[in-house]
mmCIF file of all heavy atoms in Angstrom:
data_model
loop_
_atom_site.group_PDB
_atom_site.id
_atom_site.type_symbol
_atom_site.label_atom_id
_atom_site.label_comp_id
_atom_site.label_asym_id
_atom_site.label_seq_id
_atom_site.Cartn_x
_atom_site.Cartn_y
_atom_site.Cartn_z
ATOM 1 N N GLY D 559 -15.219 7.233 3.620
ATOM 2 C CA GLY D 559 -16.375 6.377 3.847
ATOM 3 C C GLY D 559 -17.502 6.852 2.993
ATOM 4 O O GLY D 559 -17.422 7.880 2.264
ATOM 5 N N PRO D 560 -18.615 6.110 2.961
ATOM 6 C CA PRO D 560 -19.683 6.364 1.991
ATOM 7 C C PRO D 560 -20.495 7.607 2.322
ATOM 8 O O PRO D 560 -21.172 8.134 1.451
ATOM 9 C CB PRO D 560 -20.580 5.107 2.071
ATOM 10 C CG PRO D 560 -20.205 4.443 3.361
ATOM 11 C CD PRO D 560 -18.881 4.904 3.798
ATOM 12 N N PHE D 561 -20.435 8.067 3.555
ATOM 13 C CA PHE D 561 -21.362 9.128 4.010
ATOM 14 C C PHE D 561 -21.235 10.390 3.145
ATOM 15 O O PHE D 561 -22.224 10.906 2.603
ATOM 16 C CB PHE D 561 -21.122 9.471 5.453
ATOM 17 C CG PHE D 561 -22.019 10.545 5.981
ATOM 18 C CD1 PHE D 561 -23.400 10.372 6.066
ATOM 19 C CD2 PHE D 561 -21.457 11.782 6.389
ATOM 20 C CE1 PHE D 561 -24.200 11.374 6.506
ATOM 21 C CE2 PHE D 561 -22.261 12.778 6.873
ATOM 22 C CZ PHE D 561 -23.658 12.603 6.937
ATOM 23 N N ALA D 562 -19.989 10.910 3.007
ATOM 24 C CA ALA D 562 -19.790 12.151 2.275
ATOM 25 C C ALA D 562 -20.131 11.945 0.801
ATOM 26 O O ALA D 562 -20.748 12.844 0.160
ATOM 27 C CB ALA D 562 -18.359 12.634 2.455
ATOM 28 N N VAL D 563 -19.684 10.832 0.223
ATOM 29 C CA VAL D 563 -19.968 10.565 -1.192
ATOM 30 C C VAL D 563 -21.448 10.501 -1.422
ATOM 31 O O VAL D 563 -21.948 11.113 -2.399
ATOM 32 C CB VAL D 563 -19.264 9.267 -1.658
ATOM 33 C CG1 VAL D 563 -19.489 9.074 -3.169
ATOM 34 C CG2 VAL D 563 -17.792 9.335 -1.338
ATOM 35 N N LEU D 564 -22.159 9.777 -0.593
ATOM 36 C CA LEU D 564 -23.616 9.656 -0.796
ATOM 37 C C LEU D 564 -24.310 10.991 -0.635
ATOM 38 O O LEU D 564 -25.280 11.272 -1.292
ATOM 39 C CB LEU D 564 -24.196 8.610 0.180
ATOM 40 C CG LEU D 564 -24.041 7.175 -0.315
ATOM 41 C CD1 LEU D 564 -24.337 6.191 0.807
ATOM 42 C CD2 LEU D 564 -24.949 6.932 -1.535
ATOM 43 N N SER D 565 -23.790 11.875 0.265
ATOM 44 C CA SER D 565 -24.376 13.185 0.366
ATOM 45 C C SER D 565 -24.278 13.929 -0.918
ATOM 46 O O SER D 565 -25.213 14.652 -1.296
ATOM 47 C CB SER D 565 -23.608 13.984 1.447
ATOM 48 O OG SER D 565 -23.717 13.379 2.700
ATOM 49 N N MET D 566 -23.132 13.763 -1.621
ATOM 50 C CA MET D 566 -22.964 14.437 -2.915
ATOM 51 C C MET D 566 -23.903 13.808 -3.953
ATOM 52 O O MET D 566 -24.582 14.530 -4.685
ATOM 53 C CB MET D 566 -21.480 14.325 -3.335
ATOM 54 C CG MET D 566 -21.209 14.757 -4.738
ATOM 55 S SD MET D 566 -19.461 14.855 -5.067
ATOM 56 C CE MET D 566 -18.982 13.151 -5.013
ATOM 57 N N LEU D 567 -23.954 12.502 -4.019
ATOM 58 C CA LEU D 567 -24.749 11.821 -5.043
ATOM 59 C C LEU D 567 -26.261 12.075 -4.784
ATOM 60 O O LEU D 567 -27.060 12.100 -5.711
ATOM 61 C CB LEU D 567 -24.495 10.313 -5.049
ATOM 62 C CG LEU D 567 -23.015 9.911 -5.344
ATOM 63 C CD1 LEU D 567 -22.894 8.386 -5.297
ATOM 64 C CD2 LEU D 567 -22.516 10.472 -6.647
ATOM 65 N N ASN D 568 -26.594 12.252 -3.519
ATOM 66 C CA ASN D 568 -27.963 12.512 -3.104
ATOM 67 C C ASN D 568 -28.516 13.770 -3.813
ATOM 68 O O ASN D 568 -29.708 13.865 -4.049
ATOM 69 C CB ASN D 568 -27.955 12.729 -1.569
ATOM 70 C CG ASN D 568 -29.255 12.425 -0.987
ATOM 71 O OD1 ASN D 568 -29.693 13.061 -0.044
ATOM 72 N ND2 ASN D 568 -29.992 11.441 -1.528
ATOM 73 N N MET D 569 -27.631 14.726 -4.132
ATOM 74 C CA MET D 569 -28.040 15.965 -4.820
ATOM 75 C C MET D 569 -28.739 15.627 -6.116
ATOM 76 O O MET D 569 -29.646 16.337 -6.545
ATOM 77 C CB MET D 569 -26.760 16.747 -5.065
ATOM 78 C CG MET D 569 -26.952 18.115 -5.668
ATOM 79 S SD MET D 569 -25.431 19.050 -5.596
ATOM 80 C CE MET D 569 -24.503 18.263 -6.896
ATOM 81 N N PHE D 570 -28.347 14.527 -6.789
ATOM 82 C CA PHE D 570 -28.980 14.116 -8.047
ATOM 83 C C PHE D 570 -30.183 13.239 -7.810
ATOM 84 O O PHE D 570 -30.705 12.620 -8.718
ATOM 85 C CB PHE D 570 -27.958 13.377 -8.895
ATOM 86 C CG PHE D 570 -26.736 14.176 -9.252
ATOM 87 C CD1 PHE D 570 -25.642 14.121 -8.416
ATOM 88 C CD2 PHE D 570 -26.694 14.996 -10.334
ATOM 89 C CE1 PHE D 570 -24.501 14.849 -8.719
ATOM 90 C CE2 PHE D 570 -25.557 15.720 -10.655
ATOM 91 C CZ PHE D 570 -24.466 15.664 -9.822
ATOM 92 N N GLY D 571 -30.572 13.110 -6.556
ATOM 93 C CA GLY D 571 -31.703 12.184 -6.275
ATOM 94 C C GLY D 571 -31.263 10.768 -6.131
ATOM 95 O O GLY D 571 -32.117 9.850 -6.008
ATOM 96 N N ALA D 572 -29.964 10.486 -6.120
ATOM 97 C CA ALA D 572 -29.483 9.089 -6.045
ATOM 98 C C ALA D 572 -29.377 8.644 -4.565
ATOM 99 O O ALA D 572 -28.991 9.462 -3.749
ATOM 100 C CB ALA D 572 -28.148 8.951 -6.727
ATOM 101 N N GLU D 573 -29.753 7.446 -4.312
ATOM 102 C CA GLU D 573 -29.555 6.904 -2.920
ATOM 103 C C GLU D 573 -29.177 5.447 -2.944
ATOM 104 O O GLU D 573 -29.427 4.719 -3.962
ATOM 105 C CB GLU D 573 -30.757 7.166 -2.053
ATOM 106 C CG GLU D 573 -32.027 6.568 -2.547
ATOM 107 C CD GLU D 573 -33.249 6.926 -1.646
ATOM 108 O OE1 GLU D 573 -33.047 7.497 -0.575
ATOM 109 O OE2 GLU D 573 -34.370 6.599 -2.040
ATOM 110 N N LEU D 574 -28.586 4.970 -1.872
ATOM 111 C CA LEU D 574 -28.150 3.577 -1.770
ATOM 112 C C LEU D 574 -29.349 2.693 -1.543
ATOM 113 O O LEU D 574 -29.534 1.716 -2.214
ATOM 114 C CB LEU D 574 -27.172 3.464 -0.611
ATOM 115 C CG LEU D 574 -26.437 2.162 -0.352
ATOM 116 C CD1 LEU D 574 -25.636 1.779 -1.624
ATOM 117 C CD2 LEU D 574 -25.466 2.319 0.809
#
Side-chain angles (χ1 to χ4, degrees):
Chain D
F561 179 66
V563 183
L564 277 168
S565 298
M566 172 170 67
L567 302 179
N568 204 215
M569 185 169 74
F570 301 90
E573 58 182 353
L574 187 57

